Amino acid sequence: MVKPPPTDDVDESALRVGPPAEAAAGVTGVRVALEHATGQMGVPRAAVALTKLNQVDGFDCQGCAWPDPAPGERHHAEFCENGAKAVAEEATQAHVGADFFAAHSVEELRGRSEYWLGKQGRIVEPVVLRPGASHYEPIEWGEAFALVAEHLNALDDPDRASFYTSGKASNETAFVYQLFARSFGTNNLPDCSNMCHESSGDALHETIGVGKGSVTLDDVHEAELIVVMGQNPGTNHPRMLSALEVAKRNGARIVSINPLREPGTMRFKNPQKPRGVIGKGTELADLHVPVRINGDLALFQAIGKALVEAHDRGEEVLDDDFIAGHTVGFERWADHVRSLDPDVVRRATGLDEATVGAVVEEFKRSRRTVICWAMGITQHKNAVATIKEIVNVALAQGNIGERGAGLCPVRGHSNVQGDRTMGIWERSPDWFLDRVDAEFSITSPREHGLDTIATIEALRDGHLDVFFAMGGNFVSAAPDTAVVEEAMGNAALTVHVATKLNRSHLAHGRTALILPPLGRSEKDMTGGQLQRITVEDSMSAVHASRGPLEPASEMLRSEVDIVCSLALATLGEDHVVPWDAMRRDYTEIRKRIGRVVPGCDGYEELVDRPGGFTLPHPPRDSRTFPTPQGKAVFSPSPLEVLEVPEGHLLLQTLRSHDQFNTTIYGLDDRYRGVTGGRRVVFVHPTDLREAGLADGDHVDLVSVWGGVERRVHDFRVVPYDQPRGCAAAYYPETNPLVPLDHMADGSRQPASKSVVIRLVPRGGQS
Ligand code: SF4
């Protein structure tokens, strides 16, 4: 039976806290998945959607970018609990149309939570908020395109528009979208990658010459040692647990490096296996390393030092042949880590010598190591340096370009990596722009554009007039929420291509549009024929995706259609780019992708193969490194301890188990024992005691940056096992605490995982 959307909003007084779980998934995961699926889609629709999810002839899950097994190795149910929730959110039978917008003013909707907004259902027709109006109202597609075109063509400089992309957009959408922005005359192409893995891309580009991970799923299965750091796969990439289980059964050891002991890395109850249903499941982590927040750089320098010193003593722990044949800078790096002060390591990591020594022993024993990481590593001021240090250790042991070894940044958005491959990048290199120009006879601008933070600053400072978002929830995903909301108000026009309502639609420019696209789970009959799209996962595998469901409304248009129609309205029917042909048949887009994007030659045929194809990756494929030096690069980094003043804590923002980025599926973070609400802050019990607080007390969280106080109100404290001096709380509720200019050196990625805060009695003086 389909559940109606909630009329009441979240009631935090219903929040309950129990003990954290000891294992992930299991039959509870299956039950919850089915409840979400049938409750929102109804049984017949859920049955169709779930049997086609992640299948060769089906559609790609929106829930994360974890790769699919080879075609012959897939189960009939090839999805996880959170994959089912992601599909249910999109394919819900609840709808938001003209009646809804007539009944609810923007002001009223602003008072609602992100959870309530999302649960109202799919937006089923385009709507506009006209200057000074209180309510969104319907608008015809043609008028909407003309309105955007009018605003764009009135700009005296194309750089006064910015085109944001969320990582769910398909390769076809991304390709035509970047082409439109560049044909219009700007490289202002910020994307969600600026907020999730920009640090990985920058560090990997500089050190191995390719800004992507170097492993395949087989490498994970065949590793001797897998290190999972700054990552919570049980919630954020749940099918990764199946890969870890395979590796474990093949004899791998697993080290989890994370301030929190997340159940997903401890024990996995695989619902596809009897041992996961009636047994205790599979123990995953052999060693949990509760590193202090921001201590990963110091930890990896300590690992490097121990390996180098062991090598100096004659132990065979480094790969001398690989270092000599494929790298530069080893001696400089080795000297740097030899001089590391153990006391600095202790202060930075919060770990004793024995724990660091235990990690070192794991690295020494292994001849095939895969190192995985996610936003617990990328969202720090020293994130790029930390990832370079991870690379240093991998290079020193020759753990790249070998079966069962490599570097594995794990992406969250399902096609964020593909979007970047297709040219969604404010800093696309000249060679890529040259290929675009040659294919389409346009002249792309060469000056770099605005990234996410620069876009917000430009809006804040009145340098942008048009903000266009292809998906996502920009306002809630970005740091410093109050600043972003105010900045949006400075735009003449904000446009969101969005399947569901979210807070970004309520922090709008003087005119605002919401343009509803088809979802990935839906049939796309653009141009009168069934279209397919393509996506790339975290391991550079590209495959086709075709939705099986009837669309939520006849008024929806595909994202490709929206971009091409907008391009025609803005650039004119006689523009040199064949927008109409590409709109009518996505094969035309793929032909051009094949000619423009390296490794995609014959793209249409490549994605015809069952399971698709894997893009070339020279370090992985042949141990060749396309850096300026022609070799992999060791890069020493200075080490600073992030000092936290007395009485303060270091906060990391994180997801609950019941959410995907800013989409709140429900109020049940059962892995951490929190249900019924979201305003909690997890703190070490001793820190709580010393602050004069007890379990269940309510506090405000306060950060001070550049003399400005930021505060979020009324959080229940929860004692939780983690290093002293650390704290954790959910985003987007805590995003207002993250200053806009608190970001990673080099990559400019928001440093949301290390924010200095104080706990202040609820409503009290700071
Ligand atoms: S692991 Fe990720 S891609 Fe796979 S089903 Fe789960 S959420 Fe979807």
Side-chain angles (χ1 to χ4, degrees), residues 54 61 63-64 66 79-80 82-83 237-239:
N54 290 327
C61 176
C64 79
W66 189 252
F79 58 87
C80 69
N82 281 358
H237 322 91
R239 279 190 309 151

Side-chain angles (χ1 to χ4, degrees), residues 232-268:
N232 179 16
T235 290
N236 300 335
H237 322 91
R239 279 190 309 151
M240 181 177 175
L241 301 187
S242 305
L244 294 179
E245 184 180 48
V246 172
K248 197 75 199 219
R249 292 196 171 258
N250 287 340
R253 288 181 64 80
I254 296 176
V255 173
S256 147
I257 301 174
N258 200 325
L260 300 178
R261 182 187 289 271
E262 301 284 13
T265 33
M266 296 299 121
R267 183 192 293 273
F268 174 43

Side-chain angles (χ1 to χ4, degrees), residues 269-426:
K269 298 184 86 172
N270 187 341
Q272 309 262 13
K273 308 274 184 206
R275 62 177 170 268
V277 178
I278 48 174
K280 290 174 75 179
T282 303
E283 297 273 1
L284 293 179
D286 297 281
L287 176 65
H288 172 65
V289 183
V291 67
R292 174 182 178 259
I293 289 174
N294 195 249
D296 304 272
L297 173 58
L299 176 59
F300 265 69
Q301 291 202 349
I303 295 167
K305 175 186 171 76
L307 293 174
V308 165
E309 288 176 349
H311 181 258
D312 291 344
R313 292 192 299 271
E315 292 180 41
E316 288 184 17
V317 294
L318 300 186
D319 187 335
D320 292 317
D321 290 344
F322 178 79
I323 292 168
H326 297 280
T327 72
V328 293
F330 172 75
E331 280 308 334
R332 204 169 128 245
W333 170 72
D335 283 346
H336 181 71
V337 291
R338 278 188 196 104
S339 67
L340 186 67
D341 179 351
D343 187 52
V344 175
V345 174
R346 246 190 317 275
R347 286 193 289 126
T349 63
L351 299 171
D352 58 29
E353 231 169 273
T355 307
V356 176
V359 188
V360 170
E361 284 310 309
E362 299 286 351
F363 274 88
K364 279 187 180 178
R365 266 200 300 268
S366 169
R367 291 293 170 270
R368 298 190 306 274
T369 301
V370 168
I371 307 175
C372 310
W373 69 90
M375 284 152 72
I377 300 301
T378 62
Q379 292 190 323
H380 294 277
K381 188 168 185 303
N382 61 5
V384 176
T386 302
I387 297 160
K388 285 184 187 172
E389 208 60 52
I390 293 169
V391 175
N392 290 336
V393 169
L395 295 179
Q397 295 198 293
N399 275 317
I400 189 160
E402 284 282 278
R403 195 95 179 166
L407 301 161
C408 182
V410 184
R411 315 256 172 180
H413 264 107
S414 54
N415 197 39
V416 62
Q417 189 161 312
D419 291 346
R420 184 58 64 84
T421 304
M422 294 296 126
I424 300 291
W425 196 11
E426 77 284 352

Side-chain angles (χ1 to χ4, degrees), residues 618-637:
R620 180 198 64 210
D621 302 338
S622 57
R623 292 189 146 186
T624 50
F625 297 90
T627 60
Q629 299 88 334
K631 295 198 170 181
V633 181
F634 281 94
S635 32
S637 299

Side-chain angles (χ1 to χ4, degrees), residues 56 69-75:
V56 171
E73 293 167 19
R74 296 189 197 176
H75 298 99

